[in-house]
Amino acid sequence: MATITGFIEKIKFRNEENGYTVLIATDQHDGDEVVMVGNFAYVGEGDMIQATGRLTEHPIYGEQLQVESYEIKTPEDTLSMERYLGSGAIKGIGAALAARIVRHFKADTFRIMEEEPERLSEVKGISEKMAMAIAEQVEEKKDMRQAMMFLQNYGISLNLAVKIYQEYGPKLYGILKENPYRLADDIPGVGFKMADEIAGKVGIFTDSDYRVKAGMLYTLLQAVGNGHTYLPLNELLKEASELLKVAPSAMDKHLMDMQMEKRLVVKNTPEGQIVYSSQYYYLELNTARMLHDLNIRGGIPEMEIKSRLLKVEQQESIQLDGLQEQAVMEAVNSGLLIITGGPGTGKTTTINTIIRYFEMEGMEILLAAPTGRAAKRMTEATGCEARTIHRLLELVPAPAATARDIPGAPGGKGGPSGMAGMHFERNEENPLDADVIIIDEMSMVDIHLMHALLRAVNVGTRLILVGDVDQLPSVGPGNVLRDMIDSQCFNMVKLTRIFRQAAQSDIIVNAHRINEGQPVDLAKRSNDFLFIRRENPDAIISAMVTLIQKKLPGYVKAQPYDIQVMTPMRKGALGVERLNQILQSFLNPPDKTKTEKESGGTIYRVGDKVMQIRNNYQMEWEIVNRYGIPIETGSGIFNGDMGIIREINDYAELLTVEFDEGKRVEYSFKQLEELELAYAITIHKSQGSEYPAVIIPMHSGPRMLMTRNLIYTAVTRARTCVCLVGLPEVFAAMAGNSMEQKRYTGLRQRIEELYALEEEE
């Protein structure tokens, strides 16, 4: 065993989850550099360390000390003190100032810093304010080190321990012993289960008030993950009881307390009581109020609109049908308008006519959609720039304390996950500068994004919402478009006529047949809607590989990577996870020229097609020109964004993905859990996208997944060709299964309540 005392010169590598660190220290006795390897709770460059361990010889890096125990020491001799203070460990003290401090106080330097910090101002160049700032840093480093050691006793990772210390400081000891469930409320990354584990180690009882309240809120939060904004009281009590292992009666008494604490809102409905976490109730209520305020009528005479519309039709060489014409008329005279309809019913023509009409009036028009792919499609269809809603609202890092405690605020406690530290620049104080705002693919917009959008729209600005209400609802909580339509409080035009050109497409005709519950003739010889019968999963996969590699690229004039396999399930023989491994082996097999990285059981290889699987609002991207010079930068990569791995750098531990529009993003190897292979994706993840061809395996699966609106959504993602591969009876069962997963959302009720109040007044 060897013991070495020295200064930490450089931290070469550190895993913030488990503390595994490789550092270089300078031995204080002979000045030699020593590489130390081990698990360190909290160390920083400039610290003086005394480490004990075994000296080993690494084949590449040479001699290393495998550290078994260590201690951070306070330097005792004046030379060590001067070196520590001048190392950069304390901000504001460089080598020259460190020398003056030690020369003045000698061996008493650290006692002065800890016990009489005001005396530091005796040294030339240090004001009283600076003296106190230096003392605070010395104390904080000592406090933080102690906190790291304390939190590790409870199985808390170092990365999380730093967040806890930054949130609570020295108060963390009292909080952990009294109410560790506060961590789940206050700190991103700490859920109820982690807080509950800590509480068990601290010795908090199973029926503790803190535990029961935290468990009820956690149950509501889990429901949000499934798209709900509230739960019926009976369901909440049942699910929370199973989670907490306490009787439902033990929770009844907390309902009133949590309402008084403004943490829950309980509403009476004809079906019984329902329970919201407060932020989701106010998200819905404020969304309803803003929609109500925008919903005003104009007074432009019908003949005047028709006269101008005729000019647009003549200029564009188009002729609108009655419903399209009605949509334009409503757009001109409505503060808020919903346009809905299936594929081929003329939504794009209607939007384009509305745009041209308002352009002729000299109005400022903004276009947006929920995803990058949907915005790109909108741009191509209209010839006008469309942005994602996030870019429209100017998502940026938030200044300190912005929106932290505002229920439902982006980045606040009710905001979407991943938005901590971010906010939208556009809001009621800095609204969007436009006369008309048109949002496409509205079925994808959840309650968070709708609330943020409405905050940035001035009353008097026309807001036109376009979408297909029969598609799958948003991935995030809420059912905004359906709730708005079902309330019957807003002007809505539903386009139903399939136009002649669209009627020649079996994709469009069959999509409507599926949606209306009518049979589809799978035996028909079609140019764009093909059914290939295969009996078992392996035969289905073999047919899909042949289609992607040989049959479809030439037929639809696209690369194999542009052809998308979509499946209802994640697990199973034809689930996303298995399909991606198989398709990767055919479409991007191992190659000596292609770097690869294994992470979490997945091999990522240069050239792989990948998808971002959660919103990351802080992730920075850049678009570079052909010379490699950045021409545009920004932040935010979102759930469902797809790209190609362009580079894997083992030395820097970085993987570079190029997304749509040429956005390049660098992922550290620790962030690879945010990516998954995307040769096959779930149908849910396809929302808002369009592909030259889609391939859909048709084999047995859970009835709750194999639904009509799922297959309808999948079919409508294809631009040129749909290939269904498998069993006809499975397709027929899906098309006949009109069951939709129930979402508990209350936006419709909040809207109806506002209009009912207005009528009473």
Side-chain angles (χ1 to χ4, degrees), residues 174-232:
I175 288 166
L176 247 69
K177 285 175 179 170
E178 183 188 344
N179 178 18
Y181 296 100
R182 271 189 62 183
L183 273 65
D185 285 343
D186 297 340
I187 297 170
V190 179
F192 170 80
K193 291 192 174 176
M194 185 181 289
D196 202 32
E197 210 173 289
I198 295 166
K201 290 176 181 173
V202 171
I204 287 176
F205 293 119
T206 304
D207 61 353
S208 148
D209 288 356
Y210 292 129
R211 182 173 187 268
V212 174
K213 289 178 179 179
M216 291 169 74
L217 279 173
Y218 174 76
T219 302
L220 287 170
L221 188 64
Q222 290 297 99
V224 165
N226 292 322
H228 308 300
T229 56
Y230 70 81
L231 281 177

Side-chain angles (χ1 to χ4, degrees), residues 552-615:
L552 286 175
Y555 187 64
V556 298
K557 297 180 175 55
Q559 296 299 313
Y561 279 14
D562 295 324
I563 296 161
Q564 189 60 56
V565 173
M566 298 192 311
T567 178
M569 296 161 290
R570 288 198 59 81
K571 306 285 184 184
L574 290 168
V576 162
E577 293 172 9
R578 180 169 185 249
L579 284 177
N580 270 318
Q581 289 185 343
I582 294 170
L583 292 171
Q584 181 192 43
S585 70
F586 281 99
L587 300 175
N588 191 29
D591 186 318
K592 285 186 293 186
T593 65
K594 292 182 177 180
T595 314
E596 57 184 52
K597 165 69 181 171
E598 189 277 333
S599 178
T602 298
I603 292 171
Y604 298 91
R605 188 175 293 131
V606 169
D608 273 337
K609 184 178 179 180
V610 290
M611 174 185 280
Q612 173 79 13
I613 59 169
R614 65 180 66 126
N615 289 341

Side-chain angles (χ1 to χ4, degrees), residues 599-735:
S599 178
T602 298
I603 292 171
Y604 298 91
R605 188 175 293 131
V606 169
D608 273 337
K609 184 178 179 180
V610 290
M611 174 185 280
Q612 173 79 13
I613 59 169
R614 65 180 66 126
N615 289 341
N616 187 327
Y617 298 86
Q618 288 97 339
M619 186 75 89
E620 294 180 353
W621 52 262
E622 64 179 22
I623 298 173
V624 299
N625 63 17
R626 58 180 176 169
Y627 305 109
I629 299 168
I631 55 174
E632 188 179 349
T633 60
S635 60
I637 295 295
F638 303 108
N639 189 355
D641 285 354
M642 292 170 71
I644 303 291
I645 297 175
R646 295 299 186 199
E647 184 183 354
I648 297 175
N649 186 326
D650 284 319
Y651 179 76
E653 298 191 340
L654 292 172
L655 181 150
T656 304
V657 178
E658 183 176 333
F659 288 98
D660 287 342
E661 301 169 335
K663 292 178 182 174
R664 283 183 172 252
V665 176
E666 287 186 342
Y667 290 79
S668 71
F669 284 176
K670 286 191 292 185
Q671 292 174 301
L672 294 185
E673 62 187 24
E674 296 194 16
L675 288 175
E676 68 180 23
L677 296 177
Y679 298 101
I681 62 173
T682 61
I683 295 168
H684 272 94
K685 292 281 190 184
S686 73
Q687 286 175 273
S689 298
E690 188 178 74
Y691 307 95
V694 301
I695 303 173
I696 310 162
M698 289 281 103
H699 206 263
S700 57
R703 179 172 163 76
M704 64 180 291
L705 278 180
M706 312 293 278
T707 62
R708 178 183 296 169
N709 67 344
L710 198 75
I711 190 67
Y712 172 75
T713 299
V715 166
T716 57
R717 299 305 89 204
R719 185 165 58 243
T720 308
C721 187
V722 170
C723 289
L724 301 153
V725 185
L727 300 168
E729 57 267 30
V730 172
F731 173 82
M734 282 187 82

Side-chain angles (χ1 to χ4, degrees), residues 36-223:
M36 296 184 181
V37 179
N39 289 73
F40 298 86
Y42 186 78
V43 292
E45 292 178 359
D47 284 347
M48 188 175 188
I49 188 171
Q50 185 178 80
T52 300
R54 291 177 297 105
L55 284 168
T56 61
E57 190 71 27
H58 190 279
I60 297 173
Y61 302 112
E63 190 175 68
Q64 296 181 341
L65 182 71
Q66 296 282 342
V67 176
E68 294 180 9
S69 64
Y70 74 96
E71 189 181 346
I72 298 299
K73 306 286 284 184
T74 300
E76 291 172 355
D77 62 274
T78 54
L79 190 62
S80 296
M81 289 178 183
E82 183 180 324
R83 180 161 185 186
Y84 171 77
L85 291 172
S87 69
I90 308 294
K91 285 179 186 171
I93 300 181
L97 186 53
R100 291 205 299 276
I101 293 170
V102 175
R103 206 161 43 238
H104 187 80
F105 295 114
K106 301 185 173 57
D108 222 14
T109 296
F110 277 89
R111 188 197 65 76
I112 294 288
M113 283 183 158
E114 290 178 14
E115 297 175 16
E116 303 176 78
E118 66 280 356
R119 286 190 57 195
L120 286 170
S121 61
E122 295 172 13
V123 178
K124 186 180 177 184
I126 299 181
S127 64
E128 284 186 22
K129 185 178 178 183
M130 186 179 176
M132 298 313 292
I134 291 168
E136 278 175 22
Q137 285 188 68
V138 171
E139 189 64 27
E140 186 177 345
K141 289 198 82 170
K142 189 169 78 175
D143 286 349
M144 187 178 234
R145 215 170 274 125
Q146 289 171 348
M148 298 299 109
M149 303 293 283
F150 174 78
L151 292 168
Q152 273 202 303
N153 293 333
Y154 297 104
I156 296 170
S157 73
L158 288 166
N159 203 15
L160 199 52
V162 171
K163 290 180 186 174
I164 293 170
Y165 182 81
Q166 288 171 342
E167 177 72 24
Y168 301 125
K171 294 179 187 171
L172 71 89
Y173 303 100
I175 288 166
L176 247 69
K177 285 175 179 170
E178 183 188 344
N179 178 18
Y181 296 100
R182 271 189 62 183
L183 273 65
D185 285 343
D186 297 340
I187 297 170
V190 179
F192 170 80
K193 291 192 174 176
M194 185 181 289
D196 202 32
E197 210 173 289
I198 295 166
K201 290 176 181 173
V202 171
I204 287 176
F205 293 119
T206 304
D207 61 353
S208 148
D209 288 356
Y210 292 129
R211 182 173 187 268
V212 174
K213 289 178 179 179
M216 291 169 74
L217 279 173
Y218 174 76
T219 302
L220 287 170
L221 188 64
Q222 290 297 99

